[in-house]
Amino acid sequence: MGKIARPLDRDAVAAADQELYARHKNDPRPNALYDAEGRRLPLSPNDPSQAAARQEWCDLYLAAAEKNRQQVSQDSNEPPSPPPPPPPPPPDPERAADDPVQPCPNKHWIEVGLKASPDQQKRPDWWPPANDAPYAGESYTASGACGNRSGKLGGGRLRFDHIPAGSCDLKFQDFYREIERHFEEE
């Protein structure tokens, strides 16, 4: 299974807790999860004797989080988000010991989706009908920490991986030009 990353999925945390305690409800007491009276005990984050229970909880959490991601993807009819980028390689063991400072690996990423928000009021007659679909194929330009890039959104989404920390300007010129053109015609 994968690695747990923050922020945690609250629903997956609750599901993992519930499943872990349910699996060990009938274990002899007292134990790592229940006291002698049957009250739940929290797992210790650093007790070596609870390592197996922590690993079991992590596996349950990852399974629940994946199930939640798939459910959200099915409910929204959007393509699932791509998996996070792989971790950077370990530091070079041949690096000189007198040079403790290493450059920051580009672990950052940005993901953007362009989708219409719900109407706040009645649209003018000339405005196209509302559509929940993402704006697939919309042209964009990006500049900043992500470099200077341009292209078209695939499936209404865009993702830049392995970029340095900082800000990124993202513009959808054609999208806004079309809106401005409609306002000029009035």
Side-chain angles (χ1 to χ4, degrees), residues 3 5-6 12 32 42 65 121 127 148 154 158 174:
K3 186 175 179 183
R6 292 189 184 271
Q121 58 189 12
W127 197 274
N148 293 326
L158 168 68
D174 296 342

Side-chain angles (χ1 to χ4, degrees), residues 73-118:
S73 178
Q74 288 173 355
D75 291 348
S76 67
N77 287 332
E78 290 183 17
S81 294
D92 181 9
E94 300 298 319
R95 188 178 48 85
D98 60 348
D99 184 17
V101 179
Q102 294 184 9
C104 179
N106 293 335
K107 295 196 281 187
H108 305 282
W109 56 271
I110 185 170
E111 183 173 357
V112 177
L114 182 60
K115 185 176 179 181
S117 51

Side-chain angles (χ1 to χ4, degrees), residues 27-37 41:
D27 289 357
R29 297 196 181 130
N31 59 45
L33 298 175
Y34 290 95
D35 66 13
E37 286 78 37
L41 299 172

Side-chain angles (χ1 to χ4, degrees), residues 56-70:
E56 184 178 1
W57 183 90
C58 289
D59 293 342
L60 292 169
Y61 170 83
L62 290 168
E66 181 59 29
K67 182 178 177 184
N68 289 349
R69 272 193 294 277
Q70 289 174 356

